């Protein structure tokens, strides 16, 4: 990291973490520095702190999630908060309650933090206008997934020492991906060069204005890259036909050991999970501990979320 | 009613190419008796001195939604007419997307009676083009017209079926009815809520390309060359649509085009972080598109400016953007916001007023939008220079979903006359 001395950028800014777009470089670096300090703790035998003792954290998940939800759950508990998780798939929402009503109901219980995952872009922003507590975005529609990008950054820093000057490729379903968007903002902010690679039908309009180079050819897009981030084909968000077949997609955009050779020799592979093995990634490659950072991403995810909870909960 | 005389007022009436300071004499029946600098006076008349103010024909708004029947909690005839008069609008074309839909004769009788009892403005109701606005079966154009329907529109829905559209045009041409199309291809616009491009990508929202609009305009104008009828494109939003319109106009195809004041005054950047009052249909597009629409008015490719007044209650706007209702209110601020285009040098006063008065009246074939001798004395009197700030709670509409809250405007309606009577003044 550029600075090891305590920076306190977050103190004077709004208390919500809604997206990387709203973060300054200092704030992002502060979160990463804080997160670093939790890595060791999480690997030790005594993992419990009392930073958030007496605080209440509600995880409000409108979309099914395994890793993000359990990661936030653990992060809160390790900091000593009382954590409650509500899965809205089978709750009041089905009875016609609006997001605002749900928010007001929960707000009346005086939580200190609400972690929200929602299928609609902008839902955390709306929520943050209506409640008195901290709101942390755990993924909204196809807009942002800030803690994922932060944990990706921490994983890269952990391996490569720094992000500045690296070349990072993000490949796959960019159109439907909030992970791609948050990573584009964050990696750019931290000084990396970002390539996005996708078939044209999965490339969002105006992406070049976000500060990336876009490619439809893996060979060109991966050239000289230090990090290759693969994205999941988000079949559940696809309405209508975007691709001829999974077979054809794998042929041109699936990451195989051969295609990985287009990148730098010591290139590392990342994936936010869950993976579609044999669709966007070769199954052996995904498990190859010499190149794949997938497990480390999950591990550091807890540390990053602990840092976010600690810094944003006032 | 006593004879009235409005004195020392700047009269701008594009229908008779008039822009001069003079008097307006209104007879006992509420008609214009004489107008202009040579207009005489009469001692017995009630005199109203309007020095420093401007008088124009009462505005004709070709697209507004009144909540009756079915959505009275959003707007009713009384609140709509109060908002209209406060904005200098004296004639309103009302949309048929009520509940039930205005697609049959008995509904027409209901709204005409209801409007007459409750509204103080001239109402010109539209019926839907197809039953239930479903795009399958045309409504009874002939019968509906005979009962007082001014035109036909499926409002925010589009006839997707090309064969049906050709038959609608073919049938309509014979009985001289006005068909008003909302141009949007459903498949291209599916699930979209804003313009396609960088803003949509950043917000993570499904965007729609302007091709969705252009493709329907191209299709309809092709059909129109085969089946010429009175055809009007409700609202266009993009530069690309104007290119098609220009080409067809120069090929001699006859039709008319409208634009919402929102698309002339705002662009997609105003959406900011999910401000749902800016969720409109057609969507706000780029600044380049906005500027091209202004050029379109200058070059007579666009004939009409509408308010696209869509009242929505707070609940239907206080939702995640993709789920929130579409539309904003605007009838009360239509003139003031249009005058912004004069004050910032975009358009001439004459052009703006034309698009708000005589042009829509001609398209609708109604005797409004003019102050010629003998016509109804529907007059809008405003202070061209007066600065004011839009405050939602001060607007008269029942719903407060204005897209221009806190906007600083210049030019405000002072008085509105309806058939010679003062219907609003402040």
């Amino acid at each position: 990291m550029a600075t090891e001395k305590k920076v306190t950028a977050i103190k004077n800014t709004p208390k919500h973490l809604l997206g990387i777009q709203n973060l300054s470089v200092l704030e992002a670096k502060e979160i990463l520095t804080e997160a670093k300090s939790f890595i060791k703790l999480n690997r030790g035998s005594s993992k419990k702190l009392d930073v958030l003792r007496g605080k209440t954290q509600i995880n409000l998940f409108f979309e099914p999630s395994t890793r993000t939800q359990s990661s936030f759950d653990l992060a809160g508990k390790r900091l000593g908060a009382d954590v409650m998780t509500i899965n809205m798939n089978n709750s009041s929402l089905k009875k016609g309650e609006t997001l605002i009503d749900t928010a007001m109901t929960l707000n009346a219980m005086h939580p200190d933090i609400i972690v929200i995952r929602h299928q609609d872009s902008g839902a955390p922003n709306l929520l943050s206008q209506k409640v008195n507590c901290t709101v942390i975005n755990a993924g909204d529609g196809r807009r942002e997934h800030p803690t994922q990008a932060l944990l990706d950054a921490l994983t890269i820093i952990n391996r490569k020492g720094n992000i500045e000057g690296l070349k990072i490729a993000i490949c796959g379903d960019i159109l439907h991906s909030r992970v791609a968007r948050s990573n584009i903002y964050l990696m750019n902010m931290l000084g990396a060069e970002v390539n996005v690679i996708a078939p044209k039908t999965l490339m969002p309009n105006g992406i070049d204005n976000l500060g990336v180079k876009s490619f439809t050819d893996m060979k060109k897009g991966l050239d000289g890259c230090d990090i290759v981030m693969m994205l999941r084909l988000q079949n559940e968000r696809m309405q209508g036909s975007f691709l001829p077949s999974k077979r054809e997609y794998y042929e041109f955009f699936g990451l195989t050991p051969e295609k990985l050779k287009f990148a730098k020799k010591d290139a590392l592979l990342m994936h936010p999970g869950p993976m579609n093995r044999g669709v966007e990634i070769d199954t052996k490659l995904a498990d190859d501990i010499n190149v794949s950072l997938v497990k480390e991403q999950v591990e550091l995810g807890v540390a990053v979320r602990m840092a976010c909870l600690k810094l944003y909960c006032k | 009613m006593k004879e009235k005389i409005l004195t020392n007022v700047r009269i701008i009436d594009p229908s008779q190419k008039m822009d001069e300071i003079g008097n307006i004499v209104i007879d006992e029946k509420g008609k214009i008796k004489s107008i202009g600098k040579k207009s005489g006076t009469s001692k017995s008349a009630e005199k109203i001195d309007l020095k420093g103010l401007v008088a124009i024909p009462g505005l004709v708004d070709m697209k507004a939604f009144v909540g009756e029947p079915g959505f009275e909690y959003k707007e009713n005839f009384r609140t709509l007419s109060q908002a209209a008069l406060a904005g200098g609008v004296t004639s309103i074309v009302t949309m048929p997307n009520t509940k039930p839909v205005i697609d049959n004769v008995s509904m027409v009788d209901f709204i005409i009676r209801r409007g007459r009892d409750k509204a103080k403005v001239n109402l010109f109701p539209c019926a839907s083009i197809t039953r239930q606005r479903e795009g399958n079966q045309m409504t009874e154009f002939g019968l509906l017209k005979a009962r007082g329907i001014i035109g036909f529109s499926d409002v925010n829905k589009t006839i997707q079926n090309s064969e049906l559209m050709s038959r609608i045009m073919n049938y309509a041409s014979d009985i001289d009815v006005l068909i008003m199309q909302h141009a949007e291809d459903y498949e291209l616009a599916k699930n979209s809520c804003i313009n396609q491009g960088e803003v949509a990508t950043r917000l993570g929202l499904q965007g729609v390309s302007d091709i969705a609009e252009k493709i329907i305009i191209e299709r309809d104008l092709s059909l129109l060359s085969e089946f010429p009828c009175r055809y009007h494109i409700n609202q266009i939003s993009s530069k690309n649509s104007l290119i098609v319109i220009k080409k067809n106009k120069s090929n001699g195809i006859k039709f008319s085009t409208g634009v919402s004041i929102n698309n002339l005054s705002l662009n997609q950047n105003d959406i900011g972080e999910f401000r749902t009052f800016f969720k409109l249909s057609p969507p706000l597009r780029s600044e380049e598109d906005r500027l091209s629409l202004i050029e379109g008015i200058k070059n007579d490719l666009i004939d009409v400016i509408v308010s696209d007044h869509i009242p929505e209650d707070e609940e239907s706007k206080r939702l995640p953007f993709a789920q929130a209702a579409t539309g904003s209110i605007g009838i009360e601020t239509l003139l003031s916001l249009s005058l912004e285009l004069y004050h910032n040098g975009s358009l001439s006063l004459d052009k703006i007023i034309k698009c708000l008065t005589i042009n829509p009246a001609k398209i609708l074939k109604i005797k409004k939008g003019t102050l010629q001798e003998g016509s109804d004395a529907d007059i809008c009197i405003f202070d061209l220079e007066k600065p004011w700030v839009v405050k939602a709670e001060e607007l008269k509409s029942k719903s407060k979903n204005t897209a221009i809250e806190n906007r600083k405007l210049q030019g405000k309606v002072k008085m509105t006359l309806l058939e010679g009577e003062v219907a609003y003044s402040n």
Side-chain angles (χ1 to χ4, degrees):
Chain A
M1 299 287 301
T3 167
E4 285 300 325
K5 85 171 180 224
K6 194 85 178 161
V7 277
T8 50
I10 290 167
K11 268 217 171 106
N12 306 317
T13 54
K15 56 180 183 169
H16 308 292
L17 177 58
L18 301 176
I20 303 292
Q21 281 179 100
N22 315 83
L23 284 188
S24 67
V25 187
L26 282 181
E27 288 164 336
K29 286 189 172 168
E30 186 179 356
I31 295 170
L32 293 170
T33 308
E34 189 73 45
K36 250 185 176 173
S37 71
F38 290 123
I39 300 175
K40 223 181 230 168
L41 179 87
N42 285 333
R43 286 178 183 161
S45 58
S46 175
K47 303 183 177 67
K48 191 97 170 172
L49 294 179
D50 60 359
V51 185
L52 295 185
R53 193 169 62 191
K55 305 283 185 190
T56 306
Q57 171 191 339
I58 298 179
N59 298 334
L60 188 57
F61 276 64
F62 290 85
E63 266 186 349
S65 155
T66 313
R67 62 195 71 210
T68 306
Q69 186 179 310
S70 50
S71 187
F72 268 112
D73 202 355
L74 269 183
K77 283 174 178 160
R78 284 187 184 164
L79 292 174
D82 295 312
V83 185
M84 180 172 76
T85 295
I86 307 175
N87 270 308
M88 295 298 291
N89 300 319
N90 39 16
S91 194
S92 318
L93 193 70
K94 293 247 162 85
K95 298 172 193 163
E97 192 175 68
T98 65
L99 173 65
I100 294 302
D101 288 335
T102 308
M104 296 321 277
T105 305
L106 295 176
N107 196 42
M109 300 176 193
H110 303 294
D112 301 283
I113 310 164
I114 293 179
V115 176
I116 179 178
R117 150 83 52 108
H118 201 281
Q119 63 278 10
D120 283 321
S121 301
N125 305 54
L126 182 63
L127 185 74
S128 71
Q129 290 161 15
K130 306 291 171 187
V131 295
N132 304 322
C133 65
T134 297
V135 173
I136 292 183
N137 182 3
D140 63 325
R142 50 171 89 166
R143 191 181 75 103
E144 283 240 32
H145 193 349
T147 56
Q148 177 71 44
L150 287 161
L151 76 87
D152 288 341
L154 187 63
T155 309
I156 297 170
I157 291 167
N158 219 25
R159 278 296 184 103
K160 299 271 183 190
N162 207 338
I163 286 182
E164 204 170 337
L166 293 184
K167 198 166 169 186
I168 298 171
I170 307 176
C171 324
D173 186 357
I174 312 283
L175 179 66
H176 297 102
S177 177
R178 52 194 173 216
V179 176
R181 285 170 176 76
S182 287
N183 263 316
I184 289 170
Y185 306 134
L186 186 61
M187 299 306 158
N188 264 329
M189 193 194 281
L190 298 175
E193 190 183 325
V194 182
N195 287 355
V196 292
I197 312 169
K200 285 216 155 179
T201 48
L202 294 177
M203 193 72 93
N205 198 294
I207 189 83
D208 294 331
N209 296 343
L210 267 51
V212 298
K213 283 194 193 128
S214 59
F215 296 87
T216 53
D217 180 344
M218 290 283 268
K219 190 173 178 181
K220 286 180 190 155
L222 291 178
D223 183 43
C225 284
D226 302 278
I227 301 286
V228 183
M229 287 186 187
M230 297 305 297
L231 299 172
R232 188 171 62 87
L233 264 192
Q234 303 208 342
N235 292 306
E236 74 278 10
R237 289 184 206 278
M238 292 191 189
Q239 303 199 333
S241 169
F242 285 86
L243 297 167
S245 73
K246 284 180 181 168
R247 190 169 65 180
E248 180 157 329
Y249 181 76
Y250 184 69
E251 176 68 27
F252 296 108
F253 296 96
L255 191 67
T256 55
E258 294 74 48
K259 287 200 196 107
L260 190 58
K261 282 182 191 140
F262 299 140
K264 270 194 187 159
K265 249 190 187 149
D266 59 347
L268 295 169
L269 160 68
M270 301 174 80
H271 195 301
M275 287 186 275
N276 297 316
R277 290 167 186 267
V279 179
E280 70 252 356
I281 193 161
D282 175 78
T283 187
K284 277 196 202 125
L285 199 55
D287 298 329
D288 183 348
I289 51 165
N290 292 318
V291 289
S292 171
L293 298 177
V294 174
K295 281 183 194 133
E296 211 166 313
Q297 287 175 275
V298 178
E299 185 199 349
L300 300 193
V302 180
V304 158
R305 282 159 188 139
M306 285 168 82
C308 293
L309 292 171
K310 183 185 165 190
L311 291 170
Y312 281 86
C313 183
K314 295 284 148 52
Chain B
M1 195 187 101
K2 220 173 137 185
E3 205 174 70
K4 261 196 201 79
I5 174 160
L6 315 177
T7 59
N8 300 318
V9 66
R10 177 178 172 191
I11 305 160
I12 305 179
D13 182 6
S15 76
Q16 42 188 335
K17 296 199 168 60
M18 182 181 281
D19 184 354
E20 60 196 40
I21 290 171
N23 301 342
I24 305 174
V25 183
I26 302 164
D27 69 15
E28 296 89 342
K29 288 177 190 149
K31 307 267 184 203
I32 306 278
K33 194 172 171 186
S34 67
I35 185 164
K37 55 188 170 200
K38 287 175 195 149
S39 169
T41 55
S42 132
K43 271 186 186 155
S44 63
E46 179 193 348
K47 215 174 203 175
I48 305 176
D49 185 41
L50 300 174
K51 197 170 176 196
L53 300 175
V54 180
I56 60 172
L59 270 51
V60 181
D61 187 356
M62 263 182 86
K63 191 161 184 276
F65 178 73
V66 56
E68 294 192 54
F71 300 99
E72 290 83 357
Y73 59 97
K74 293 179 181 175
E75 192 83 281
N76 60 37
F77 281 113
R78 188 177 54 82
T79 53
L80 178 71
S81 71
Q82 283 172 350
L85 290 169
V89 178
T90 52
S91 297
I92 311 174
V93 176
T94 58
M95 292 296 113
N97 52 333
T98 46
K99 203 157 103 188
V101 175
I102 298 162
D103 62 357
N104 63 68
V105 172
S106 60
M107 283 305 301
V108 179
D109 290 344
F110 167 80
I111 53 156
I112 286 180
R113 239 181 306 119
R114 182 85 186 144
R116 197 176 46 213
D117 292 349
K118 295 289 172 189
K120 288 197 204 93
V121 289
N122 305 300
L123 292 172
F124 296 96
C126 268
S128 61
I129 305 176
T130 60
R131 290 202 181 148
Q132 296 299 311
R133 304 192 297 135
E134 280 170 355
N136 297 321
Q137 169 79 47
M138 64 179 106
T139 53
E140 298 159 320
F141 295 165
L143 292 175
L144 288 162
K145 186 190 176 192
R147 292 294 180 108
I149 288 295
I150 189 94
F152 294 83
S153 170
D154 277 357
V155 197
N156 52 2
K157 297 202 174 183
T158 310
I159 316 291
Q160 301 290 315
N161 181 331
S162 306
E163 184 193 42
L164 177 64
M165 194 62 210
S166 70
R167 288 191 182 142
I168 286 166
M169 287 176 168
N170 201 359
Y171 190 83
S173 64
D174 187 44
I175 52 175
D176 191 38
V177 294
L178 177 67
I179 302 296
M180 299 156 77
Q181 175 82 293
H182 174 78
E184 185 176 76
D185 181 273
Y186 282 1
E187 295 300 329
L188 288 173
K190 207 185 220 167
N191 298 318
S192 68
C193 42
I194 65 170
N195 185 36
Q196 190 177 69
E198 185 190 338
V199 174
T201 296
R202 277 187 187 277
L203 293 175
L205 295 170
Q206 176 76 42
V208 58
S209 153
D210 56 13
I211 293 176
E213 177 176 290
K214 183 182 156 202
I215 209 166
I216 294 291
I217 296 175
E218 277 179 326
R219 180 202 69 177
D220 280 4
L221 296 181
S222 297
L223 293 171
L224 196 65
S225 67
E226 192 73 24
F227 308 107
C229 74
R230 285 170 63 204
Y231 174 82
H232 177 76
I233 307 162
N234 261 344
Q235 285 159 259
I236 63 162
S237 63
S238 71
K239 188 179 178 178
N240 275 330
S241 298
L242 278 165
I243 294 169
V244 178
I245 287 166
K246 188 175 183 180
K247 197 178 83 191
N248 279 276
K249 286 221 166 166
S250 59
N251 286 347
I253 310 286
K254 292 223 160 19
F255 60 97
S256 54
T257 308
V259 66
S260 156
I261 185 62
N262 297 318
N263 291 89
L264 286 175
S265 311
L266 307 164
N267 68 29
Q268 57 185 354
N269 295 321
D270 288 303
I271 293 165
E273 279 212 342
F274 304 102
R275 294 160 76 191
T276 56
F277 286 8
F278 294 85
K279 183 179 176 185
L280 305 172
S281 174
L284 296 174
R285 297 198 194 270
S286 67
E287 178 65 4
E288 192 189 352
D289 284 313
R290 187 186 77 83
L291 294 173
S292 73
L293 293 171
I294 289 171
E295 283 303 305
I297 289 184
K298 270 188 203 162
N299 304 333
D300 295 322
L301 296 174
I302 297 175
D303 311 280
V304 180
I305 302 173
V306 297
S307 69
D308 193 22
H309 179 81
I310 302 176
E312 286 293 348
D313 58 309
E314 203 179 329
E315 286 313 309
S316 37
K317 282 288 188 184
R318 232 174 43 165
L319 292 169
F321 201 88
Q323 293 175 31
T326 302
S328 88
I329 57 168
I331 202 164
E332 190 173 340
T333 49
L334 174 61
L335 179 65
S336 293
L337 192 52
S338 300
L339 290 175
E340 189 183 75
L341 299 169
Y342 160 72
H343 287 295
N344 67 21
S346 301
L347 290 171
S348 72
L349 209 47
D350 179 73
K351 201 66 148 190
I352 293 168
I353 293 164
K354 215 177 200 171
C355 291
L356 292 169
T357 58
I358 189 63
N359 282 3
K362 274 186 183 161
I363 292 165
L364 296 162
K365 294 194 176 175
I366 55 175
K367 287 184 182 131
K368 297 288 180 187
T370 175
L371 296 177
Q372 274 167 359
E373 283 170 22
S375 54
D376 292 334
D378 294 350
I379 307 174
C380 163
I381 294 150
F382 64 95
D383 182 337
L384 182 60
E385 307 298 336
K386 189 187 165 90
W388 66 293
V389 180
V390 180
K391 293 283 174 205
E393 72 269 20
E394 287 168 12
L395 297 177
K396 302 204 163 33
S397 257
K398 205 164 183 180
S399 298
K400 306 296 180 193
N401 56 313
T402 173
I404 53 164
E405 169 84 335
N406 292 328
R407 195 163 175 123
K408 296 183 180 78
L409 297 177
Q410 198 179 352
K412 199 170 195 306
V413 173
K414 192 91 187 147
M415 188 188 284
T416 306
L417 273 69
L418 198 67
E419 289 176 18
E421 302 276 9
V422 177
Y424 169 84
S425 77
N426 77 5

